[in-house]
Amino acid sequence: MTPRIPPKNGSIFQPGQVMRLEFPAQGYVNPLNTSLEFDVTLVSYGTPANEIVRFQNNIQSLFSRVRLLYGSTPLEDMINYNGKFWY
């Protein structure tokens, strides 16, 4: 089963904004078998307008902090997440 879980606080995010995802209360989530997929559009705001834009380091550079909560209890809180790898 592949559920779609849209963000609770919008659909378009600018740098520095928080994206909040809430998983359904039914069942359990196995983080070892869970992945998140996003559609990302890179936009250049500099001049010239056709300036090349790319991810810094890797795709994880999109995230500065990742928090996993069970209700209001933090299970995981990774600050400065970008550039780190999960194995």
Side-chain angles (χ1 to χ4, degrees), residues 41-57:
T41 302
L42 297 175
V43 178
S44 172
Y45 293 105
T47 54
N50 61 353
E51 180 179 322
I52 295 174
V53 294
R54 60 188 173 102
F55 294 114
Q56 175 187 351
N57 299 325

Side-chain angles (χ1 to χ4, degrees), residues 7-34:
K8 296 295 268 186
N9 58 332
S11 60
I12 297 175
F13 298 90
Q14 301 298 322
Q17 286 184 301
V18 173
M19 179 189 299
R20 188 171 313 279
L21 301 173
E22 290 185 14
F23 291 91
Q26 304 88 357
Y28 293 90
V29 174
N30 181 349
L32 296 176
N33 296 330
T34 301

Side-chain angles (χ1 to χ4, degrees), residues 57-77:
N57 299 325
N58 54 43
I59 192 68
Q60 291 165 297
S61 66
L62 293 175
F63 306 99
S64 61
R65 182 180 190 183
V66 174
R67 289 184 359 149
L68 177 61
L69 303 171
Y70 180 75
S72 61
T73 305
L75 300 178
E76 188 96 42
D77 191 358

